[in-house]
Amino acid sequence: MEKRPVSFYVLAAFFGLFVLFLYGPTLTIGILSFQGPTGGLTFPMRGVSLHWFRELFEQQAVGDIWGAFRRSFALGLMVMVTTVVVSVMSGLAFRKRFKGSAVLFYMAITSLVIPSILISLGVGLIFNQLGLKIHWATSGFGSQLTWTLPFGLLIMFAVFNRFDKSYEEAARDQGATQWQTIRHVVLPIIAPSLIGVALFGFTLSYDEFARTLLTSGSYNTLPLEVFGMTTNVTTPVIYALGTLTTLFSFGIIAVFLLSVRIMSKRRAKMGSDVGKAV
Amino acid sequence: MAMSRHVTGWLQALPLTVVLGAFLIAPIIMIVVVSFWGATEFSIYPAFQFDNYSYLFGSAVVWKVFFATFKYAFITWVFTLAIGFTVAYFLAFHVRTQAMQIALFLLCTIPFWTSNIIRMISWIPFLGRNGIANSTLISWGVIDEPLEWLLYSDFSVILAFVHLYTLFMVVPIFNTMMRIDRSLIEAAVDNGASAMQTLRHVILPLTKPGIMIGTIFVVTLVMGDFITVRFMSGSQKANVGRLISNDISLLQYPSAAATSVVLLITVLIVIGILLRFVNIRKEL
């Protein structure tokens, strides 16, 4: 191997600082969440304890965070499944030009770049004027989809840009119908990318704030509950909650990444060339 | 098989169209309509008046707030671009094995999948009056008094923006860099270009599409934000998003809607200009 230039070490140091910048604050509140019972929001640590985590489990101290967690989890799953299905379908649609495809594409981009509070406000107004009750599973669900679907669609564009069409042609030459081709050839090849779409769908929903703010109704999702806490909770209990939900997010990410790994390993072992095209 | 490709295309695109129609287009139309309505202290009533807009454009505060919004967007853009480009350049051209590239890239993207609010909260122990930054600087003897402008200031707002959104620069720039044909760089080096010249005349021009996509993300996220500014400035600074959310909390929906319309048009003009430089679908 050739010798590394000096610039490598400078850039590596820069990268290291960037990673520290990304993770440092999160690690800090991770440490501070073990603050002793008399400790405050910053250093020094007054002893080490699980006091603030215990506090989280006492309803009256912090409000309904477990209910909020359950709602966010359920909503995350709903958004995830919908995002995967709708993104794949529209990804397939966009492979060919159809009437209005350009308009739909610009709608998706608008959905991505529109200030989130407009979705919140607009959906809230519509439900209000129609006399419907806003609820996290209806208005909140739809509003979050406007955030997750464009991401799913963009990932599908990336996937199909790299997709080798000769697999499909081979299937069709052998007499497969359009549906059989999709079901037995296209979907298995793009499956690992779908895990990526699912990861986006779940985590973007689970952490979504601005689009859910005016559309979730009387039952808060977890991010809304956390935000409510920032205005009236001044103890490290909020760090304990932050640490737990961050660990939960890390767990979810690990599960998704592991399943991608297992899937591609299994493929390699079966000696199939499926997926090489991706 | 007899179905025309237009029909198949539309059937497959139908769910997306329905969702965007109901939760994107209809709300935008609703906001435009309501922006002409009137409001009392307790309720809103249908009307067709330009009061909300004339108030909006006549108010010096509003102009200032729009200016502040652009200021946040511009400064954040400069920092995220500089940091994002450097990080992506390191990953794409200095890390040698693909396994390492993927691992380090994931390390950069994981925070994107965690909660923004928690990531904002996590700056408090750093920036507070008795926070880590102040106590470190005092113990080093750099300052005698705690710095007051670390938290609840423009500084903390922009710091949080850069912290939250640099990822949106790293990912598209890295993606574009990975697709640069390596023989172009070899050719430049063979012809005697220094590393700096290669970077300036070969890599930078070829990375422009990624920079544009990252710019679109960062600029729209910052311009549409209301929560970062509110939280990180301790409600002391304002941007257009906060103007809207304040009106909403006062139930002044028509006024909020009018501000929203102006904000949306502003954002779309900015995006329209940026999109002239890049074909998003080709670059993914």
Side-chain angles (χ1 to χ4, degrees):
Chain A
M1 247 192 203
E2 57 179 308
K3 210 172 134 275
R4 300 225 186 241
V6 181
S7 58
F8 169 83
Y9 296 100
V10 177
L11 287 169
F14 185 87
F15 183 81
L17 285 177
F18 176 66
V19 171
L20 186 69
F21 173 62
L22 277 185
Y23 289 89
T26 312
L27 286 177
T28 313
I29 65 160
I31 295 168
L32 284 171
S33 58
F34 292 98
Q35 186 69 281
T38 55
L41 282 174
T42 184
F43 290 105
M45 294 284 283
R46 301 192 194 282
V48 175
S49 74
L50 290 173
H51 176 81
W52 304 106
F53 288 96
R54 264 199 302 277
E55 196 96 315
L56 272 183
F57 288 84
E58 282 163 28
Q59 284 292 330
Q60 58 274 45
V62 287
D64 184 21
I65 57 158
W66 297 104
F69 171 73
R70 274 196 302 276
R71 285 187 284 276
S72 275
F73 192 74
L75 183 57
L77 291 180
M78 284 162 62
V79 171
M80 177 183 89
V81 172
T82 316
T83 304
V84 171
V85 173
V86 176
S87 303
V88 171
M89 287 180 72
S90 29
L92 287 168
F94 272 109
R95 288 205 298 168
K96 303 195 186 80
R97 205 172 282 276
F98 55 92
K99 254 189 209 118
S101 58
V103 176
L104 189 58
F105 174 71
Y106 280 111
M107 267 164 68
I109 296 295
T110 308
S111 189
L112 194 65
V113 302
I114 189 171
S116 298
I117 194 161
L118 267 73
I119 299 284
S120 239
L121 173 64
V123 172
L125 281 172
I126 288 182
F127 271 66
N128 193 322
Q129 291 299 314
L130 292 178
L132 298 169
K133 243 187 132 151
I134 48 169
H135 190 270
W136 57 270
T138 56
S139 48
F141 172 65
S143 307
Q144 292 198 340
L145 286 177
T146 63
W147 179 231
T148 60
L149 285 179
F151 277 103
L153 186 63
L154 291 183
I155 298 174
M156 292 320 295
F157 280 143
V159 169
F160 283 125
N161 279 353
R162 290 163 179 75
F163 189 84
D164 186 346
K165 284 200 171 128
S166 51
Y167 290 109
E168 272 174 287
E169 277 158 30
R172 235 173 282 136
D173 288 348
Q174 313 258 358
T177 63
Q178 210 174 359
W179 167 244
Q180 283 173 322
T181 314
I182 291 176
R183 167 74 189 77
H184 297 290
V185 178
V186 178
L187 285 184
I189 293 178
I190 63 173
S193 324
L194 297 190
I195 295 179
V197 177
L199 174 63
F200 270 83
F202 183 85
T203 56
L204 291 185
S205 157
Y206 180 75
D207 298 323
E208 218 296 320
F209 178 83
R211 298 190 190 210
T212 331
L213 181 63
L214 299 175
T215 56
S216 72
S218 33
Y219 297 103
N220 275 345
T221 60
L222 193 59
L224 296 174
E225 196 74 25
V226 172
F227 186 72
M229 283 174 73
T230 60
T231 52
N232 53 29
V233 176
T234 49
T235 60
V237 73
I238 194 159
Y239 295 159
L241 179 56
T243 304
L244 277 189
T245 77
T246 305
L247 284 178
F248 176 78
S249 293
F250 284 166
I252 293 280
I253 297 166
V255 167
F256 277 102
L257 293 180
L258 269 180
S259 33
V260 173
R261 232 185 121 87
I262 290 168
M263 202 181 268
S264 41
K265 271 230 171 107
R266 205 204 263 152
R267 270 181 189 176
K269 215 165 67 195
M270 310 258 269
S272 154
D273 61 352
V274 167
K276 289 264 167 71
V278 183
Chain B
M1 276 277 90
M3 267 194 280
S4 95
R5 70 190 164 97
H6 291 292
V7 177
T8 325
W10 264 115
L11 284 178
Q12 286 168 334
L14 190 66
L16 179 69
T17 316
V18 170
V19 172
L20 293 185
F23 290 95
L24 175 75
I25 304 302
I28 293 177
I29 295 173
M30 189 70 192
I31 288 175
V32 173
V33 170
V34 172
S35 71
F36 294 104
W37 287 12
T40 66
E41 256 174 73
F42 316 102
S43 66
I44 57 176
Y45 57 89
F48 187 73
Q49 53 189 28
F50 289 85
D51 297 18
N52 302 310
Y53 287 101
S54 57
Y55 172 77
L56 198 61
F57 288 112
S59 155
V61 176
V62 173
W63 286 99
K64 253 201 219 150
V65 169
F66 263 90
F67 176 75
T69 308
F70 275 107
K71 182 187 73 183
Y72 285 136
F74 179 74
I75 299 176
T76 308
W77 175 73
V78 170
F79 279 102
T80 53
L81 177 59
I83 299 172
F85 186 90
T86 313
V87 167
Y89 175 71
F90 171 73
L91 288 178
F93 294 106
H94 281 80
V95 178
R96 282 172 177 164
T97 63
Q98 209 197 1
M100 198 57 174
Q101 270 177 337
I102 294 174
L104 294 181
F105 179 71
L106 278 176
L107 193 65
C108 293
T109 44
I110 282 172
F112 170 68
W113 291 311
T114 64
S115 163
N116 278 3
I117 299 212
I118 304 283
R119 290 174 69 202
M120 282 185 236
I121 292 172
S122 66
W123 278 107
I124 291 176
F126 261 94
L127 301 177
R129 200 164 187 285
N130 304 310
I132 298 170
N134 270 328
S135 45
T136 312
L137 289 174
I138 289 174
S139 72
W140 284 353
V142 181
I143 49 172
D144 303 319
E145 300 260 300
L147 299 173
E148 299 286 351
W149 50 265
L150 286 179
L151 192 57
Y152 303 139
S153 60
D154 278 346
F155 171 79
S156 55
V157 170
I158 288 166
L159 182 76
F161 277 139
V162 173
H163 185 229
L164 294 175
Y165 298 144
T166 301
L167 247 43
F168 286 90
M169 279 289 188
V170 174
V171 174
I173 295 179
F174 176 72
N175 180 37
T176 333
M177 281 181 174
M178 291 301 280
R179 299 164 99 203
I180 295 177
D181 188 347
R182 299 297 145 128
S183 53
L184 292 174
I185 291 156
E186 262 170 56
V189 175
D190 287 349
N191 280 298
S194 68
M196 212 49 210
Q197 281 173 321
T198 315
L199 179 64
R200 166 83 184 72
H201 297 289
V202 181
I203 296 173
L204 189 61
L206 290 173
T207 314
K208 263 192 192 138
I211 293 176
M212 283 301 156
I213 294 177
T215 303
I216 290 174
F217 271 115
V218 169
V219 168
T220 55
L221 283 167
V222 174
M223 288 189 66
D225 171 88
F226 64 102
I227 207 66
T228 313
V229 174
R230 173 166 157 196
F231 186 78
M232 294 307 288
S233 79
S235 295
Q236 292 175 39
K237 303 280 171 189
N239 68 345
V240 181
R242 280 208 62 206
L243 220 54
I244 298 171
S245 82
N246 281 350
D247 274 342
I248 290 173
S249 58
L250 297 171
L251 305 181
Q252 297 298 307
Y253 294 117
S255 161
T259 316
S260 299
V261 170
V262 178
L263 176 64
L264 181 62
I265 292 172
T266 316
V267 169
L268 289 182
I269 289 174
V270 173
I271 301 308
I273 294 169
L274 291 173
L275 278 178
R276 296 188 80 93
F277 297 104
V278 57
N279 179 344
I280 291 192
R281 282 180 65 178
K282 245 176 59 195
E283 293 305 331
L284 292 165

